[in-house]
Amino acid sequence: MAVDSVGGTGAAAGAQQTGDAGFQNQMAEFERVSQKVQAQAVAMRRITTELSSEKKVADERVQ
């Protein structure tokens, strides 16, 4: 019975390490995607600002 207990603990520890590795992989992927989305958001804000400025200039020309 002690062998089963040790084997169970060893298997549980192995599963824990696999779970930890999976979690670390998910966190790394999340970080990568998060940085990509942040870069896209900055680009969109820049484009929006440029377009807004151009629209203001065009509106002033009409008046």
Side-chain angles (χ1 to χ4, degrees):
M1 192 128 145
V3 173
D4 289 338
S5 175
V6 171
T9 302
Q16 180 68 31
Q17 288 175 349
T18 301
D20 289 346
F23 177 75
Q24 292 300 324
N25 289 339
Q26 287 178 340
M27 288 302 294
E29 179 67 10
F30 173 77
E31 183 68 25
R32 185 188 66 77
V33 170
S34 177
Q35 289 176 352
K36 181 179 177 183
V37 169
Q38 288 175 356
Q40 290 173 341
V42 168
M44 291 300 295
R45 282 193 298 266
R46 183 182 54 92
I47 291 169
T48 301
T49 301
E50 289 176 9
L51 290 175
S52 177
S53 296
E54 289 179 16
K55 182 182 181 307
K56 286 178 184 177
V57 169
D59 288 345
E60 289 176 1
R61 286 182 193 158
V62 171
Q63 295 175 356

